[in-house]
Amino acid sequence: MRITKDPETRRQEIIDEARTLFESKGISKTSMAEIADKIGVAKGLVYYYFSSKEELVDEVVEQFIQGLDESLKDIVLQDDLDFYGKLTAILVLYFNAFQNDQDLMKFTPADPGVFNLIRERLSAIALFHVKALLQAGMSQNLIRIDYPEYVLKILITGLGDLYIEGIRDPKVHASLIEQMLGMQKGQLEFGLQSR
């Protein structure tokens, strides 16, 4: 008996299975046919929703980024956190995302196009949400920087590079952020643990 699902449900099922396979096997070693087999549908149905594997990869990455975007927005809007609490929460969010989605991050260096897509999107959402936070910190004299947008770009790309190179101790990253933003040492260390 053929099982018919709501189109959005089916589409999400394909995305979820693709992400699982991409994480466990890598993008290049995962075929559209394998994704179809795992969810028990014909390969043509997968192509009905996604015209290519590249389009499916883009959607997997986009959903990962959207989740981080929502979480960042929530942190920035939290009234019960002060400036330092928000910066720390953002740092913890990113480290948890990379830790929890290590396999997603692991497959990206093998495919520079995917890696660059993730990096560009993460940078864009961080710039969007954190720029206003930095400006608020400057107006309250909590941080001392000129050109907050440039400093933020340097921080985002630089810390991302360090993470990729294996520097994964959040306290190191927190210390670098404090130095770049002209903060007192130890302002961002609470709640961070080495991984």
Side-chain angles (χ1 to χ4, degrees), residues 1-7 9-15 17-18 21 31-50 56:
M1 180 170 136
R2 188 169 170 224
I3 299 173
T4 304
K5 291 189 178 180
D6 170 68
T9 301
R10 180 63 79 188
R11 184 175 189 280
Q12 189 60 49
E13 182 180 38
I14 293 167
I15 294 165
E17 190 57 49
L21 288 169
S31 70
M32 297 290 265
E34 188 173 11
I35 295 165
D37 286 345
K38 284 287 191 179
I39 57 175
V41 299
K43 181 171 74 170
L45 186 65
V46 175
Y47 278 106
Y48 173 78
Y49 286 97
F50 300 96
L56 182 52

Side-chain angles (χ1 to χ4, degrees), residues 18-67:
R19 180 171 175 166
T20 299
L21 288 169
F22 292 161
E23 289 175 348
S24 64
K25 297 181 66 178
I27 293 173
S28 62
K29 294 180 181 176
T30 301
S31 70
M32 297 290 265
E34 188 173 11
I35 295 165
D37 286 345
K38 284 287 191 179
I39 57 175
V41 299
K43 181 171 74 170
L45 186 65
V46 175
Y47 278 106
Y48 173 78
Y49 286 97
F50 300 96
S51 63
S52 66
K53 187 163 77 168
E54 291 75 24
E55 184 181 331
L56 182 52
V57 169
D58 287 348
E59 186 59 33
V60 168
V61 169
E62 188 60 31
Q63 286 193 8
F64 171 72
I65 298 298
Q66 284 176 355

Side-chain angles (χ1 to χ4, degrees), residues 84 141-145 176-185:
Y84 302 114
N141 293 320
L142 300 174
I143 58 174
R144 293 174 298 280
I145 57 172
L176 292 170
I177 291 169
E178 290 167 348
Q179 291 174 48
M180 287 284 295
L181 298 182
M183 297 167 56
Q184 291 182 0
K185 185 171 177 53

Side-chain angles (χ1 to χ4, degrees), residues 81-89 92 171 174 178 186-193:
L81 290 177
D82 65 4
F83 173 79
Y84 302 114
K86 288 178 183 183
L87 272 182
T88 299
V92 169
K171 290 185 179 184
E178 290 167 348
Q187 291 290 326
L188 301 181
E189 288 187 25
F190 63 91
L192 297 174
Q193 301 173 1

Side-chain angles (χ1 to χ4, degrees), residues 144-160:
R144 293 174 298 280
I145 57 172
D146 294 322
Y147 313 108
E149 188 169 328
Y150 299 145
V151 169
L152 192 53
K153 284 183 180 184
I154 291 168
L155 274 172
I156 292 166
T157 56
L159 295 176

Side-chain angles (χ1 to χ4, degrees), residues 8 34 47 76 117 120 127 130 150 154 191:
E8 278 307 306
E34 188 173 11
Y47 278 106
V76 171
L117 177 63
E120 286 171 20
L127 279 169
V130 180
Y150 299 145
I154 291 168

Side-chain angles (χ1 to χ4, degrees), residues 152-172:
L152 192 53
K153 284 183 180 184
I154 291 168
L155 274 172
I156 292 166
T157 56
L159 295 176
D161 285 346
L162 288 176
Y163 191 90
I164 291 163
E165 291 172 14
I167 314 250
R168 300 202 171 145
D169 183 345
K171 290 185 179 184
V172 170

